[in-house]
Amino acid sequence: MDTPVKFVQIVDSETERIEEMRKLSEEMDERFAGRSGGPTHRLVLRDRNQPNRYLVVIEFNSYEEAMATSNAPETAEFAQRMAALCTRPPTFTDCDLEGMTEFK
């Protein structure tokens, strides 16, 4: 049996309201807490050259789990609320995780 390929989505957005964005993310974390199939990791990055630009890297155990989360009504509500805080529409990049190295 094949092991599912981990899936990563990268959300690229710009906002001048990052604290509101953080609070919204915390609210969604609480809503999804305890559910199986949700994100396993989230990394939030701020572009040093464009301080209002943020990249959020979200990892899932599989593409199928990511799509199940994406299709949840709470996710659609979150996306609308997040977009309202952005200065431009966010973009989404879907990726299969091909490899990861942990440096010590």
Side-chain angles (χ1 to χ4, degrees):
M1 183 170 147
D2 291 333
T3 304
V5 174
K6 290 196 177 221
F7 176 80
V8 174
Q9 185 172 69
I10 302 168
V11 182
D12 183 341
S13 64
E14 290 180 8
T15 185
E16 295 174 352
R17 301 163 67 183
I18 190 60
E19 288 309 315
E20 291 173 75
M21 190 82 78
R22 287 183 210 278
K23 287 179 185 176
L24 180 59
S25 290
E26 290 170 7
E27 180 184 318
M28 286 308 297
D29 289 347
E30 290 175 17
R31 282 187 176 184
F32 279 100
R35 288 189 187 182
S36 64
T40 58
H41 296 90
R42 179 179 57 223
L43 184 66
V44 179
L45 310 169
R46 183 175 61 87
D47 187 329
R48 292 180 69 94
N49 297 311
Q50 298 176 48
N52 290 333
R53 180 178 179 220
Y54 294 86
L55 300 167
V56 181
V57 181
I58 307 164
E59 180 185 312
F60 293 85
N61 283 323
S62 69
Y63 172 79
E64 292 75 19
E65 288 185 6
M67 292 305 100
T69 299
S70 180
N71 292 327
E74 298 92 341
T75 304
E77 176 193 343
F78 170 76
Q80 287 179 327
R81 292 173 63 192
M82 183 190 89
L85 297 173
C86 292
T87 55
R88 65 162 170 79
T91 60
F92 301 86
T93 304
D94 295 340
C95 306
D96 290 328
L97 181 61
E98 292 289 322
M100 182 172 20
T101 303
E102 185 173 325
F103 296 101
K104 296 185 182 208

